[in-house]
Amino acid sequence: MSTPRTSTSSARFAQFKLVLLGESAVGKSSLVHRFAKDQFDDFRESTIGAAFLTQTVQVDANTTVKFEIWDTAGQERYKSLAPMYYRNANCAVVVYDITQESSLTRAKAWVKELQHQANEDIIIALAGNKLDLASERKVETATAEAYAKEAGLLFYETSAKTGEGVQEIFTAIAKKLPVEQVVNRTRVPPKGVDLSRPTKASSTCNC
Ligand code: GTP
Ligand code: MG
C-alpha cells in the first residue's frame, strides 16, 4: 500500500513502493544510483540480497511522489527472495541490457511473474539499459517496444552511464500512480472507521 499524506490543502505528497527486477549485470543498481544520487560507477559490485533507496519526483507544481526503492539482486541464487520485495509493490522497473538478448527473455519472465503474483494494479515499466552501447546492440528498439505495448508496459531505453532516459522513466511511472485516488481516500474516511486508532498512513515501511 502507498502511504500518502498532504501538507497543505493544495500540496499533495504520496509515497509508493517500487521494485527493480532483471538479470544480473543489466544495470539495476546503476540505474537507481543515477536516479537517486546522479552517480555512476564503471565497476559496481553485484548486489547481495537487495538494497533500499529513496528518491522523490516532482510530478507537477502541487504533487510530489516519493519512491521507496527495492533494488533486488539479479543473481539466480537470490531468485527466491524476489516475492518478498515485489509483494505490495505499487510499481516495478524490469530491466534488460540492449546488448544481451537473453536479458530480454529474463525480463519477460519477470513481467509474467509480476502480472500473476504481484498487486493486480501494479504499474510496470520496461527499461532497455546501456543505451550508450548502441553500437553493440542486440535487441532492436522496435522489438522491445512492440512487446511492451502488447504486455501493457511503459517502455524506455536508458543509460545509467550517461543518464539518458533515467529521470524520464521514473517520472513516467510517477505520473501513472494513483496519487489523486489515494489522497482523496485519506481525506474522506469511510463510514464506521474508528478515528481514535492509528492508521496505516503513518507507517513508512512497506517491506
Ligand atoms: P546485480 O546486482 O548482479 O543484479 O546487477 P545489476 O543489474 O545491479 O547491475 P549493475 O548496476 O551492478 O551493473 C553491472 C555492470 O554494468 C557495472 O559494471 C556497471 O558499471 C555497468 N553498467 C550499468 N549500467 C550501464 C550503462 O548504462 N552503460 C554501461 N556502459 N554500463 C553500465
Ligand atoms: Mg545490483
mmCIF file of all heavy atoms in Angstrom, residues 56-97:
data_model
loop_
_atom_site.group_PDB
_atom_site.id
_atom_site.type_symbol
_atom_site.label_atom_id
_atom_site.label_comp_id
_atom_site.label_asym_id
_atom_site.label_seq_id
_atom_site.Cartn_x
_atom_site.Cartn_y
_atom_site.Cartn_z
ATOM 1 N N THR A 56 12.590 11.309 -4.536
ATOM 2 C CA THR A 56 11.302 11.941 -4.833
ATOM 3 C C THR A 56 11.288 12.488 -6.257
ATOM 4 O O THR A 56 12.330 12.801 -6.825
ATOM 5 C CB THR A 56 10.996 13.105 -3.859
ATOM 6 O OG1 THR A 56 12.083 14.010 -3.912
ATOM 7 C CG2 THR A 56 10.794 12.621 -2.452
ATOM 8 N N VAL A 57 10.085 12.584 -6.795
ATOM 9 C CA VAL A 57 9.869 13.147 -8.126
ATOM 10 C C VAL A 57 8.765 14.192 -8.000
ATOM 11 O O VAL A 57 7.732 13.933 -7.383
ATOM 12 C CB VAL A 57 9.416 12.044 -9.125
ATOM 13 C CG1 VAL A 57 8.906 12.656 -10.413
ATOM 14 C CG2 VAL A 57 10.557 11.090 -9.428
ATOM 15 N N GLN A 58 9.027 15.363 -8.562
ATOM 16 C CA GLN A 58 8.003 16.416 -8.600
ATOM 17 C C GLN A 58 7.171 16.176 -9.856
ATOM 18 O O GLN A 58 7.659 16.365 -10.969
ATOM 19 C CB GLN A 58 8.711 17.783 -8.675
ATOM 20 C CG GLN A 58 7.806 18.972 -8.418
ATOM 21 C CD GLN A 58 7.477 19.131 -6.943
ATOM 22 O OE1 GLN A 58 8.306 18.845 -6.087
ATOM 23 N NE2 GLN A 58 6.263 19.568 -6.648
ATOM 24 N N VAL A 59 5.938 15.728 -9.670
ATOM 25 C CA VAL A 59 5.110 15.383 -10.825
ATOM 26 C C VAL A 59 4.529 16.637 -11.477
ATOM 27 O O VAL A 59 4.510 16.775 -12.691
ATOM 28 C CB VAL A 59 3.975 14.416 -10.410
ATOM 29 C CG1 VAL A 59 3.038 14.136 -11.566
ATOM 30 C CG2 VAL A 59 4.573 13.118 -9.893
ATOM 31 N N ASP A 60 4.056 17.557 -10.632
ATOM 32 C CA ASP A 60 3.638 18.879 -11.117
ATOM 33 C C ASP A 60 3.821 19.859 -9.958
ATOM 34 O O ASP A 60 4.346 19.471 -8.900
ATOM 35 C CB ASP A 60 2.190 18.852 -11.661
ATOM 36 C CG ASP A 60 1.184 18.411 -10.611
ATOM 37 O OD1 ASP A 60 1.308 18.834 -9.439
ATOM 38 O OD2 ASP A 60 0.282 17.633 -10.947
ATOM 39 N N ALA A 61 3.393 21.102 -10.143
ATOM 40 C CA ALA A 61 3.664 22.146 -9.132
ATOM 41 C C ALA A 61 3.165 21.755 -7.735
ATOM 42 O O ALA A 61 3.749 22.153 -6.728
ATOM 43 C CB ALA A 61 3.026 23.449 -9.576
ATOM 44 N N ASN A 62 2.094 20.941 -7.674
ATOM 45 C CA ASN A 62 1.498 20.626 -6.372
ATOM 46 C C ASN A 62 1.710 19.187 -5.923
ATOM 47 O O ASN A 62 1.292 18.815 -4.837
ATOM 48 C CB ASN A 62 -0.023 20.880 -6.418
ATOM 49 C CG ASN A 62 -0.330 22.336 -6.606
ATOM 50 O OD1 ASN A 62 0.384 23.190 -6.082
ATOM 51 N ND2 ASN A 62 -1.369 22.626 -7.370
ATOM 52 N N THR A 63 2.294 18.365 -6.761
ATOM 53 C CA THR A 63 2.337 16.929 -6.454
ATOM 54 C C THR A 63 3.762 16.384 -6.388
ATOM 55 O O THR A 63 4.521 16.500 -7.351
ATOM 56 C CB THR A 63 1.555 16.130 -7.532
ATOM 57 O OG1 THR A 63 0.293 16.768 -7.736
ATOM 58 C CG2 THR A 63 1.353 14.690 -7.117
ATOM 59 N N THR A 64 4.093 15.794 -5.249
ATOM 60 C CA THR A 64 5.397 15.148 -5.075
ATOM 61 C C THR A 64 5.176 13.663 -4.794
ATOM 62 O O THR A 64 4.356 13.302 -3.952
ATOM 63 C CB THR A 64 6.155 15.769 -3.876
ATOM 64 O OG1 THR A 64 6.216 17.179 -4.073
ATOM 65 C CG2 THR A 64 7.565 15.215 -3.753
ATOM 66 N N VAL A 65 5.905 12.837 -5.528
ATOM 67 C CA VAL A 65 5.843 11.392 -5.303
ATOM 68 C C VAL A 65 7.193 10.935 -4.758
ATOM 69 O O VAL A 65 8.237 11.284 -5.302
ATOM 70 C CB VAL A 65 5.515 10.652 -6.624
ATOM 71 C CG1 VAL A 65 5.875 9.182 -6.530
ATOM 72 C CG2 VAL A 65 4.032 10.806 -6.966
ATOM 73 N N LYS A 66 7.139 10.212 -3.647
ATOM 74 C CA LYS A 66 8.380 9.650 -3.105
ATOM 75 C C LYS A 66 8.410 8.151 -3.401
ATOM 76 O O LYS A 66 7.459 7.435 -3.074
ATOM 77 C CB LYS A 66 8.442 9.881 -1.588
ATOM 78 C CG LYS A 66 9.690 9.290 -0.952
ATOM 79 C CD LYS A 66 9.742 9.602 0.522
ATOM 80 C CE LYS A 66 10.905 8.920 1.203
ATOM 81 N NZ LYS A 66 10.874 9.154 2.658
ATOM 82 N N PHE A 67 9.488 7.704 -4.017
ATOM 83 C CA PHE A 67 9.655 6.282 -4.288
ATOM 84 C C PHE A 67 10.486 5.645 -3.173
ATOM 85 O O PHE A 67 11.563 6.144 -2.828
ATOM 86 C CB PHE A 67 10.392 6.054 -5.608
ATOM 87 C CG PHE A 67 9.577 6.335 -6.833
ATOM 88 C CD1 PHE A 67 9.926 7.370 -7.691
ATOM 89 C CD2 PHE A 67 8.483 5.549 -7.154
ATOM 90 C CE1 PHE A 67 9.189 7.619 -8.846
ATOM 91 C CE2 PHE A 67 7.733 5.787 -8.298
ATOM 92 C CZ PHE A 67 8.087 6.831 -9.145
ATOM 93 N N GLU A 68 9.976 4.545 -2.638
ATOM 94 C CA GLU A 68 10.764 3.691 -1.734
ATOM 95 C C GLU A 68 11.217 2.523 -2.606
ATOM 96 O O GLU A 68 10.400 1.698 -3.014
ATOM 97 C CB GLU A 68 9.883 3.188 -0.603
ATOM 98 C CG GLU A 68 9.358 4.314 0.265
ATOM 99 C CD GLU A 68 8.440 3.809 1.354
ATOM 100 O OE1 GLU A 68 7.692 2.842 1.099
ATOM 101 O OE2 GLU A 68 8.476 4.375 2.439
ATOM 102 N N ILE A 69 12.499 2.503 -2.918
ATOM 103 C CA ILE A 69 13.003 1.619 -3.984
ATOM 104 C C ILE A 69 13.729 0.403 -3.426
ATOM 105 O O ILE A 69 14.695 0.540 -2.661
ATOM 106 C CB ILE A 69 13.962 2.395 -4.911
ATOM 107 C CG1 ILE A 69 13.272 3.660 -5.454
ATOM 108 C CG2 ILE A 69 14.458 1.508 -6.048
ATOM 109 C CD1 ILE A 69 14.222 4.619 -6.174
ATOM 110 N N TRP A 70 13.275 -0.776 -3.836
ATOM 111 C CA TRP A 70 13.975 -2.020 -3.521
ATOM 112 C C TRP A 70 14.699 -2.475 -4.778
ATOM 113 O O TRP A 70 14.067 -2.837 -5.770
ATOM 114 C CB TRP A 70 12.995 -3.085 -3.033
ATOM 115 C CG TRP A 70 12.532 -2.804 -1.644
ATOM 116 C CD1 TRP A 70 11.357 -2.202 -1.272
ATOM 117 C CD2 TRP A 70 13.258 -3.059 -0.434
ATOM 118 N NE1 TRP A 70 11.313 -2.073 0.095
ATOM 119 C CE2 TRP A 70 12.461 -2.589 0.638
ATOM 120 C CE3 TRP A 70 14.496 -3.639 -0.151
ATOM 121 C CZ2 TRP A 70 12.874 -2.685 1.963
ATOM 122 C CZ3 TRP A 70 14.897 -3.735 1.176
ATOM 123 C CH2 TRP A 70 14.096 -3.266 2.209
ATOM 124 N N ASP A 71 16.030 -2.424 -4.711
ATOM 125 C CA ASP A 71 16.894 -2.833 -5.823
ATOM 126 C C ASP A 71 17.305 -4.281 -5.548
ATOM 127 O O ASP A 71 18.135 -4.551 -4.679
ATOM 128 C CB ASP A 71 18.105 -1.879 -5.843
ATOM 129 C CG ASP A 71 19.233 -2.381 -6.721
ATOM 130 O OD1 ASP A 71 18.961 -3.137 -7.671
ATOM 131 O OD2 ASP A 71 20.397 -1.983 -6.450
ATOM 132 N N THR A 72 16.705 -5.218 -6.272
ATOM 133 C CA THR A 72 16.935 -6.637 -5.962
ATOM 134 C C THR A 72 18.219 -7.150 -6.628
ATOM 135 O O THR A 72 18.738 -6.546 -7.565
ATOM 136 C CB THR A 72 15.744 -7.521 -6.411
ATOM 137 O OG1 THR A 72 15.654 -7.488 -7.840
ATOM 138 C CG2 THR A 72 14.434 -7.044 -5.800
ATOM 139 N N ALA A 73 18.692 -8.287 -6.138
ATOM 140 C CA ALA A 73 19.888 -8.934 -6.692
ATOM 141 C C ALA A 73 19.459 -9.833 -7.851
ATOM 142 O O ALA A 73 18.552 -10.643 -7.702
ATOM 143 C CB ALA A 73 20.571 -9.761 -5.609
ATOM 144 N N GLY A 74 20.138 -9.695 -8.986
ATOM 145 C CA GLY A 74 19.734 -10.462 -10.170
ATOM 146 C C GLY A 74 20.307 -11.866 -10.239
ATOM 147 O O GLY A 74 19.840 -12.684 -11.040
ATOM 148 N N GLN A 75 21.313 -12.153 -9.416
ATOM 149 C CA GLN A 75 21.921 -13.488 -9.477
ATOM 150 C C GLN A 75 20.889 -14.565 -9.136
ATOM 151 O O GLN A 75 20.078 -14.380 -8.221
ATOM 152 C CB GLN A 75 23.108 -13.587 -8.521
ATOM 153 C CG GLN A 75 24.317 -12.810 -9.010
ATOM 154 C CD GLN A 75 25.492 -12.924 -8.051
ATOM 155 O OE1 GLN A 75 25.759 -13.992 -7.507
ATOM 156 N NE2 GLN A 75 26.165 -11.822 -7.806
ATOM 157 N N GLU A 76 20.976 -15.673 -9.869
ATOM 158 C CA GLU A 76 19.998 -16.756 -9.768
ATOM 159 C C GLU A 76 19.774 -17.225 -8.330
ATOM 160 O O GLU A 76 18.652 -17.511 -7.922
ATOM 161 C CB GLU A 76 20.476 -17.919 -10.663
ATOM 162 C CG GLU A 76 19.406 -18.902 -11.073
ATOM 163 C CD GLU A 76 18.237 -18.292 -11.846
ATOM 164 O OE1 GLU A 76 18.416 -17.262 -12.526
ATOM 165 O OE2 GLU A 76 17.124 -18.864 -11.741
ATOM 166 N N ARG A 77 20.857 -17.251 -7.537
ATOM 167 C CA ARG A 77 20.730 -17.789 -6.165
ATOM 168 C C ARG A 77 19.833 -16.922 -5.267
ATOM 169 O O ARG A 77 19.439 -17.347 -4.191
ATOM 170 C CB ARG A 77 22.103 -17.976 -5.541
ATOM 171 C CG ARG A 77 22.870 -16.682 -5.344
ATOM 172 C CD ARG A 77 24.248 -17.004 -4.833
ATOM 173 N NE ARG A 77 25.227 -16.138 -5.453
ATOM 174 C CZ ARG A 77 26.234 -15.593 -4.789
ATOM 175 N NH1 ARG A 77 26.389 -15.864 -3.516
ATOM 176 N NH2 ARG A 77 27.085 -14.802 -5.396
ATOM 177 N N TYR A 78 19.543 -15.673 -5.701
ATOM 178 C CA TYR A 78 18.669 -14.808 -4.889
ATOM 179 C C TYR A 78 17.225 -14.794 -5.400
ATOM 180 O O TYR A 78 16.385 -14.070 -4.872
ATOM 181 C CB TYR A 78 19.200 -13.377 -4.876
ATOM 182 C CG TYR A 78 20.561 -13.246 -4.242
ATOM 183 C CD1 TYR A 78 21.663 -12.877 -5.001
ATOM 184 C CD2 TYR A 78 20.746 -13.490 -2.881
ATOM 185 C CE1 TYR A 78 22.924 -12.758 -4.432
ATOM 186 C CE2 TYR A 78 21.994 -13.385 -2.302
ATOM 187 C CZ TYR A 78 23.083 -13.019 -3.081
ATOM 188 O OH TYR A 78 24.316 -12.902 -2.506
ATOM 189 N N LYS A 79 16.958 -15.567 -6.449
ATOM 190 C CA LYS A 79 15.660 -15.520 -7.130
ATOM 191 C C LYS A 79 14.477 -15.717 -6.173
ATOM 192 O O LYS A 79 13.456 -15.045 -6.274
ATOM 193 C CB LYS A 79 15.632 -16.591 -8.226
ATOM 194 C CG LYS A 79 14.438 -16.509 -9.122
ATOM 195 C CD LYS A 79 14.538 -17.521 -10.245
ATOM 196 C CE LYS A 79 13.287 -17.475 -11.108
ATOM 197 N NZ LYS A 79 12.134 -18.060 -10.448
ATOM 198 N N SER A 80 14.658 -16.645 -5.223
ATOM 199 C CA SER A 80 13.536 -16.978 -4.335
ATOM 200 C C SER A 80 13.197 -15.830 -3.370
ATOM 201 O O SER A 80 12.133 -15.828 -2.753
ATOM 202 C CB SER A 80 13.848 -18.241 -3.544
ATOM 203 O OG SER A 80 14.978 -17.998 -2.740
ATOM 204 N N LEU A 81 14.090 -14.850 -3.244
ATOM 205 C CA LEU A 81 13.809 -13.717 -2.346
ATOM 206 C C LEU A 81 12.900 -12.680 -3.002
ATOM 207 O O LEU A 81 12.284 -11.852 -2.318
ATOM 208 C CB LEU A 81 15.118 -13.005 -1.958
ATOM 209 C CG LEU A 81 16.166 -13.794 -1.198
ATOM 210 C CD1 LEU A 81 17.387 -12.917 -0.935
ATOM 211 C CD2 LEU A 81 15.604 -14.296 0.127
ATOM 212 N N ALA A 82 12.837 -12.713 -4.332
ATOM 213 C CA ALA A 82 12.144 -11.644 -5.061
ATOM 214 C C ALA A 82 10.705 -11.373 -4.598
ATOM 215 O O ALA A 82 10.336 -10.209 -4.426
ATOM 216 C CB ALA A 82 12.177 -11.921 -6.554
ATOM 217 N N PRO A 83 9.880 -12.410 -4.352
ATOM 218 C CA PRO A 83 8.500 -12.137 -3.943
ATOM 219 C C PRO A 83 8.407 -11.264 -2.698
ATOM 220 O O PRO A 83 7.476 -10.462 -2.552
ATOM 221 C CB PRO A 83 7.914 -13.532 -3.693
ATOM 222 C CG PRO A 83 8.739 -14.425 -4.559
ATOM 223 C CD PRO A 83 10.118 -13.848 -4.534
ATOM 224 N N MET A 84 9.400 -11.382 -1.817
ATOM 225 C CA MET A 84 9.429 -10.559 -0.609
ATOM 226 C C MET A 84 9.493 -9.071 -0.968
ATOM 227 O O MET A 84 8.960 -8.229 -0.271
ATOM 228 C CB MET A 84 10.692 -10.914 0.173
ATOM 229 C CG MET A 84 10.473 -11.166 1.622
ATOM 230 S SD MET A 84 11.908 -12.011 2.286
ATOM 231 C CE MET A 84 13.225 -10.861 2.040
ATOM 232 N N TYR A 85 10.179 -8.775 -2.069
ATOM 233 C CA TYR A 85 10.371 -7.372 -2.464
ATOM 234 C C TYR A 85 9.271 -6.860 -3.383
ATOM 235 O O TYR A 85 8.957 -5.677 -3.362
ATOM 236 C CB TYR A 85 11.763 -7.193 -3.091
ATOM 237 C CG TYR A 85 12.839 -7.531 -2.098
ATOM 238 C CD1 TYR A 85 13.575 -8.703 -2.204
ATOM 239 C CD2 TYR A 85 13.068 -6.703 -1.003
ATOM 240 C CE1 TYR A 85 14.532 -9.034 -1.264
ATOM 241 C CE2 TYR A 85 14.015 -7.022 -0.053
ATOM 242 C CZ TYR A 85 14.744 -8.194 -0.181
ATOM 243 O OH TYR A 85 15.673 -8.513 0.765
ATOM 244 N N TYR A 86 8.694 -7.735 -4.225
ATOM 245 C CA TYR A 86 7.623 -7.209 -5.084
ATOM 246 C C TYR A 86 6.237 -7.288 -4.430
ATOM 247 O O TYR A 86 5.292 -6.698 -4.921
ATOM 248 C CB TYR A 86 7.646 -7.818 -6.503
ATOM 249 C CG TYR A 86 7.350 -9.290 -6.680
ATOM 250 C CD1 TYR A 86 6.105 -9.836 -6.362
ATOM 251 C CD2 TYR A 86 8.303 -10.141 -7.237
ATOM 252 C CE1 TYR A 86 5.834 -11.169 -6.575
ATOM 253 C CE2 TYR A 86 8.046 -11.491 -7.447
ATOM 254 C CZ TYR A 86 6.807 -11.993 -7.112
ATOM 255 O OH TYR A 86 6.531 -13.326 -7.320
ATOM 256 N N ARG A 87 6.153 -7.990 -3.298
ATOM 257 C CA ARG A 87 4.879 -8.039 -2.578
ATOM 258 C C ARG A 87 4.470 -6.605 -2.175
ATOM 259 O O ARG A 87 5.291 -5.849 -1.661
ATOM 260 C CB ARG A 87 5.020 -8.906 -1.332
ATOM 261 C CG ARG A 87 3.716 -9.175 -0.627
ATOM 262 C CD ARG A 87 3.920 -10.060 0.594
ATOM 263 N NE ARG A 87 4.618 -11.296 0.269
ATOM 264 C CZ ARG A 87 5.593 -11.846 1.015
ATOM 265 N NH1 ARG A 87 5.982 -11.265 2.132
ATOM 266 N NH2 ARG A 87 6.171 -12.965 0.649
ATOM 267 N N ASN A 88 3.245 -6.241 -2.434
ATOM 268 C CA ASN A 88 2.717 -4.898 -2.125
ATOM 269 C C ASN A 88 3.376 -3.762 -2.899
ATOM 270 O O ASN A 88 3.164 -2.594 -2.570
ATOM 271 C CB ASN A 88 2.828 -4.565 -0.627
ATOM 272 C CG ASN A 88 1.981 -5.476 0.199
ATOM 273 O OD1 ASN A 88 0.941 -5.935 -0.281
ATOM 274 N ND2 ASN A 88 2.406 -5.771 1.414
ATOM 275 N N ALA A 89 4.197 -4.092 -3.883
ATOM 276 C CA ALA A 89 4.813 -3.005 -4.665
ATOM 277 C C ALA A 89 3.745 -2.330 -5.512
ATOM 278 O O ALA A 89 2.859 -2.987 -6.063
ATOM 279 C CB ALA A 89 5.924 -3.551 -5.548
ATOM 280 N N ASN A 90 3.812 -1.001 -5.598
ATOM 281 C CA ASN A 90 2.876 -0.245 -6.431
ATOM 282 C C ASN A 90 3.370 -0.179 -7.872
ATOM 283 O O ASN A 90 2.585 0.026 -8.799
ATOM 284 C CB ASN A 90 2.732 1.185 -5.910
ATOM 285 C CG ASN A 90 2.323 1.234 -4.470
ATOM 286 O OD1 ASN A 90 3.157 1.425 -3.578
ATOM 287 N ND2 ASN A 90 1.037 1.012 -4.201
ATOM 288 N N CYS A 91 4.701 -0.310 -8.028
ATOM 289 C CA CYS A 91 5.273 -0.195 -9.361
ATOM 290 C C CYS A 91 6.584 -0.970 -9.441
ATOM 291 O O CYS A 91 7.193 -1.264 -8.404
ATOM 292 C CB CYS A 91 5.479 1.275 -9.724
ATOM 293 S SG CYS A 91 6.151 2.293 -8.417
ATOM 294 N N ALA A 92 6.969 -1.283 -10.674
ATOM 295 C CA ALA A 92 8.193 -2.075 -10.881
ATOM 296 C C ALA A 92 8.911 -1.578 -12.127
ATOM 297 O O ALA A 92 8.273 -1.166 -13.102
ATOM 298 C CB ALA A 92 7.833 -3.549 -11.052
ATOM 299 N N VAL A 93 10.239 -1.623 -12.078
ATOM 300 C CA VAL A 93 11.035 -1.395 -13.279
ATOM 301 C C VAL A 93 11.741 -2.714 -13.570
ATOM 302 O O VAL A 93 12.515 -3.208 -12.741
ATOM 303 C CB VAL A 93 12.073 -0.263 -13.085
ATOM 304 C CG1 VAL A 93 12.890 -0.079 -14.369
ATOM 305 C CG2 VAL A 93 11.389 1.047 -12.699
ATOM 306 N N VAL A 94 11.416 -3.302 -14.723
ATOM 307 C CA VAL A 94 12.053 -4.552 -15.135
ATOM 308 C C VAL A 94 13.101 -4.169 -16.191
ATOM 309 O O VAL A 94 12.784 -3.529 -17.194
ATOM 310 C CB VAL A 94 11.015 -5.550 -15.690
ATOM 311 C CG1 VAL A 94 11.700 -6.828 -16.145
ATOM 312 C CG2 VAL A 94 9.961 -5.857 -14.627
ATOM 313 N N VAL A 95 14.347 -4.551 -15.900
ATOM 314 C CA VAL A 95 15.468 -4.054 -16.699
ATOM 315 C C VAL A 95 16.085 -5.168 -17.545
ATOM 316 O O VAL A 95 16.233 -6.297 -17.076
ATOM 317 C CB VAL A 95 16.556 -3.461 -15.760
ATOM 318 C CG1 VAL A 95 17.670 -2.792 -16.567
ATOM 319 C CG2 VAL A 95 15.942 -2.461 -14.764
ATOM 320 N N TYR A 96 16.425 -4.828 -18.798
ATOM 321 C CA TYR A 96 17.270 -5.713 -19.605
ATOM 322 C C TYR A 96 18.395 -4.856 -20.181
ATOM 323 O O TYR A 96 18.388 -3.626 -20.073
ATOM 324 C CB TYR A 96 16.454 -6.429 -20.706
ATOM 325 C CG TYR A 96 15.976 -5.538 -21.818
ATOM 326 C CD1 TYR A 96 16.708 -5.388 -23.005
ATOM 327 C CD2 TYR A 96 14.792 -4.812 -21.701
ATOM 328 C CE1 TYR A 96 16.281 -4.552 -24.023
ATOM 329 C CE2 TYR A 96 14.358 -3.971 -22.712
ATOM 330 C CZ TYR A 96 15.104 -3.842 -23.871
ATOM 331 O OH TYR A 96 14.684 -2.994 -24.874
ATOM 332 N N ASP A 97 19.379 -5.543 -20.767
ATOM 333 C CA ASP A 97 20.550 -4.879 -21.347
ATOM 334 C C ASP A 97 20.412 -4.981 -22.863
ATOM 335 O O ASP A 97 20.295 -6.100 -23.392
ATOM 336 C CB ASP A 97 21.793 -5.630 -20.805
ATOM 337 C CG ASP A 97 23.095 -5.221 -21.457
ATOM 338 O OD1 ASP A 97 23.083 -4.481 -22.459
ATOM 339 O OD2 ASP A 97 24.145 -5.670 -20.964
#
